[in-house]
Structure formats: structure tokens, C-alpha cells
Amino acid sequence: MQNKPSTLSLLSSTRFAIISIVTICFVLQLINSLPGISLNGLGIYPRSIQGLIGILCAPFLHGSWWHFASNMLPFIVLSWLICQYSVKRFYSVFIFTALVGGLLVWMFARGNIHVGLSGVIYGLWGFILCYGIVRRSFKSIFIAVIVAFLYSGFIWGVLPQRFHISFESHLFGALSGFFLGYKLAKADKLKATTGKANTHV
């Protein structure tokens, strides 16, 4: 008889971490598609007190099924790559970029409702690239090269192009990911250096 997986082991599962977020987005988009229902009012509306709730809700809401579908593949790929460091790190990057990127959108973006997972996706992208450049381990550089190859076109997404696309979410998500990537890479390099020094004592 097999034991049921513990809550802790479930939360530390790469599959659970990614699928749970995709499922939440899917269910909310399904509800959002029902006649007479629009959840997108819970998105980020800049400089509005009511719009603050969007910092928590916006990443899980999408404007259409096409918007939802176009975000899922890059989210899954980038999330899986960050999980190669650890699932805990994935959660850290997701939460940080969603909250910090979302707050910056609320503070500085245009006066429209901003929804979608793309801000977090750009945060994951920015984190991987910056972490690889600063950390400079074989693993981090290898992952960064994969991301640079697959998603080099993301750089254009941080620039204003089409009115209905929230380039601000992309820009501030990427900046928050770069910041966290830099901080964690520096911390990890220091740990690695300290560990090597201690082994020679």
C-alpha cells in the first residue's frame, strides 16, 4: 500500500507548481467566458485604490482565450527551467515578480485595466538571463543561453507597440526579474565562495 504524498512533497513538485498555476488561469478564464461575467475588473487599474487588488489577481486573468493560450507555453517552459534550480526558487521568483512588477504597473502604467500572466513571464525571463550572467556557473549559463535562444524576441515586448498590449507589465516584470536575478546570483556566488574557503580550512 503506497503512502499518500505529504503536502510538503506536493508543494515541492515541479509538476504541481506549474500545473496548479495553469489550472487556476484556465478555470478563471472559463468563468470569465460565461455570459454576463467579467472578472477582468479585478485587474490592475493604475493609481486607483480599488485597482490594488489587481496586483494579486491580474496574473491569473486574461482578456481572451487567445491571450490565455499565448501565455501558457512560455510560462511552462520558463517555469520548468527555473525549477531546475529548485521549486522553492520558482515560487520565490513568481511571487516577487508578480507583486513587485504589479506594484510598478499600478504606480506608473497607463490608465487602463492590465491583466495577464505575461508580466510574470517576463519576470521569469529576466531572472534567468540576469542570474546566468551574474552567477556564471555552467548550469546558470546553459539555462540562460537556452532562454536567450528561444525568447530573444521578448526584448521587443518591453517597448510600446500596440495599444491593447500592456508593455508596462512586460517592462516592469522584466525589471523585477532582473533585480531578483542579480541579488540571488550575488548571494549564491558568495555562498559558493565561502563554502570553498571553508573546505580548505
Side-chain angles (χ1 to χ4, degrees):
M1 184 176 179
Q2 293 182 336
N3 295 326
K4 290 184 178 180
S6 66
T7 302
L8 187 60
S9 65
L10 191 62
L11 289 174
S12 64
S13 160
T14 297
R15 186 179 301 176
F16 175 81
I18 297 171
I19 291 178
S20 60
I21 293 171
V22 172
T23 301
I24 291 170
C25 292
F26 175 80
V27 170
L28 290 178
Q29 181 57 32
L30 195 63
I31 295 170
N32 219 6
S33 301
L34 296 175
I37 295 179
S38 177
L39 300 178
N40 287 355
L42 297 173
I44 299 171
Y45 194 83
R47 296 168 296 282
S48 161
I49 297 301
Q50 294 87 347
L52 281 169
I53 189 65
I55 295 173
L56 299 177
C57 300
F60 305 102
L61 299 170
H62 292 85
S64 65
W65 280 109
W66 170 249
H67 187 202
F68 165 82
S70 64
N71 277 339
M72 289 306 106
L73 182 58
F75 172 73
I76 290 169
V77 172
L78 294 170
S79 298
W80 183 83
L81 287 171
I82 291 182
C83 284
Q84 301 316 296
Y85 296 115
S86 72
V87 177
K88 181 180 178 181
R89 175 144 297 183
F90 163 73
Y91 284 126
S92 298
V93 178
F94 183 96
I95 292 169
F96 184 88
T97 56
L99 295 182
V100 175
L103 180 60
L104 291 171
V105 169
W106 183 85
M107 292 171 65
F108 300 113
R110 292 166 294 166
N112 298 305
I113 294 176
H114 299 257
V115 295
L117 196 55
S118 57
V120 171
I121 291 169
Y122 270 76
L124 303 177
W125 174 76
F127 174 86
I128 290 172
L129 293 179
C130 188
Y131 186 85
I133 292 168
V134 178
R135 179 68 179 87
R136 287 183 290 185
S137 67
F138 176 81
K139 182 178 182 178
S140 64
I141 291 173
F142 182 72
I143 291 175
V145 167
I146 292 173
V147 169
F149 176 76
L150 290 176
Y151 298 111
S152 59
F154 271 27
I155 190 66
W156 304 112
V158 302
L159 302 174
Q161 297 181 65
R162 285 173 283 181
F163 182 79
H164 67 283
I165 295 177
S166 177
F167 79 92
E168 298 98 327
S169 295
H170 301 170
L171 174 62
F172 294 128
L175 289 176
S176 61
F178 279 130
F179 175 80
L180 187 62
Y182 177 83
K183 297 295 287 185
L184 291 183
K186 285 289 189 182
D188 289 348
K189 282 184 78 171
L190 183 61
K191 286 178 187 176
T193 303
T194 304
K196 287 181 181 178
N198 289 338
T199 59
H200 291 89
V201 174

